[in-house]
Amino acid sequence: MTKYEQPLQPGESFSLRIARINELPSLSRYHRWSLLRFRGEPIGVTLSTAYRLDETHPDRLFLRLTASYHTIRSQIIRPLLDYSIELTYEVGDLPALASESDGELLLASGLLSLTLSTGVGALRGMLALGVRNTFLAHYPLPVFRIADLVSRITNPDGNMAGTGRIATIRLATT
C-alpha cells in the first residue's frame, strides 16, 4: 500500500532533476488480437502509478507510469495496449520529502505533484511515438489536471486510494 500525503511547509523548496526516462518493453504490450478485432467501439484509458525509493542512492526516486487502453466488446473489457515507462528523479534532500515504512511510501504533496506532472507529460510524448502507425494515434493520452489526480491519490476515503490506479477516462477521436 502506498500513501502520498505529506505536504511541504510554506516557504520550503527542493531541487528536482529528471535523471532518466526508460520505456519498459517487458511491461508494455500490444494486444494484437483485440487490435485486429477493433471495430470502432468506444476506447478508454486507465493511468496507473508506482513510486519507489532507491535503496542504494538516497537521493533517487522512481516513478513507473502505465497507460492501459481498452475497449468493451460483447460486454467484456478487451485490452488494446499497455504502455509503461519509468522515470528516475534525483531529488535534493529526498529523505526530508519522502519516508518509507511498513510497505507505505509517504511523499510531500509538492514532490508528488511535480513528479506526476512531468511523468504524465513524458508518457504522453513517448506513447504518441509508440502508436504513431496504428489507429491508436487518433486517441492521444489526454491532458490531466494534476491537482485532481493528486487529490484522488491522497484521498483516503476514495475507493481508488492507495491502489496506484489514478484515472480511468473515456477517449474521443480527434
Side-chain angles (χ1 to χ4, degrees):
M1 165 146 309
T2 307
K3 290 185 179 179
Y4 312 94
E5 56 189 43
Q6 183 182 24
L8 283 177
Q9 299 302 318
E12 283 187 320
S13 63
F14 57 91
S15 64
L16 179 73
R17 182 176 92 81
I18 299 174
R20 184 177 207 120
I21 303 173
N22 291 326
E23 182 179 30
L24 300 175
S26 63
L27 299 177
S28 300
R29 180 174 178 216
Y30 287 94
H31 298 270
R32 300 198 189 289
W33 183 245
S34 294
L35 288 168
L36 288 171
R37 297 193 66 201
F38 180 75
R39 298 290 179 251
E41 301 90 354
I43 291 181
V45 63
T46 299
L47 187 62
S48 303
T49 63
Y51 280 90
R52 66 181 173 86
L53 298 173
D54 188 335
E55 295 175 5
T56 59
H57 297 90
D59 63 334
R60 286 193 187 154
L61 176 69
F62 297 98
L63 167 59
R64 180 180 300 160
L65 284 167
T66 301
S68 299
Y69 281 75
H70 54 273
T71 190
I72 297 178
R73 189 177 60 253
S74 301
Q75 299 181 348
I76 297 173
I77 296 175
R78 309 288 181 167
L80 298 171
L81 169 69
D82 297 313
Y83 188 81
S84 296
I85 65 169
E86 184 172 73
L87 293 96
T88 304
Y89 295 96
E90 291 179 353
V91 184
D93 199 21
L94 183 58
L97 300 167
S99 63
E100 190 174 28
S101 66
D102 297 329
E104 294 183 339
L105 177 62
L106 268 56
L107 293 178
S109 58
L111 178 61
L112 172 64
S113 296
L114 196 52
T115 56
L116 195 55
S117 177
T118 57
V120 169
L123 177 64
R124 184 178 296 110
M126 292 175 73
L127 184 61
L129 286 174
V131 300
R132 68 182 174 271
N133 295 324
T134 71
F135 76 89
L136 289 175
H138 301 289
Y139 299 92
L141 192 64
V143 175
F144 295 99
R145 188 167 177 257
I146 298 301
D148 291 342
L149 297 179
V150 170
S151 70
R152 288 188 73 175
I153 291 172
T154 60
N155 178 8
D157 298 326
N159 61 1
M160 299 297 271
T163 64
R165 299 179 75 198
I166 57 176
T168 300
I169 59 171
R170 189 172 171 180
L171 301 177
T173 59
T174 57

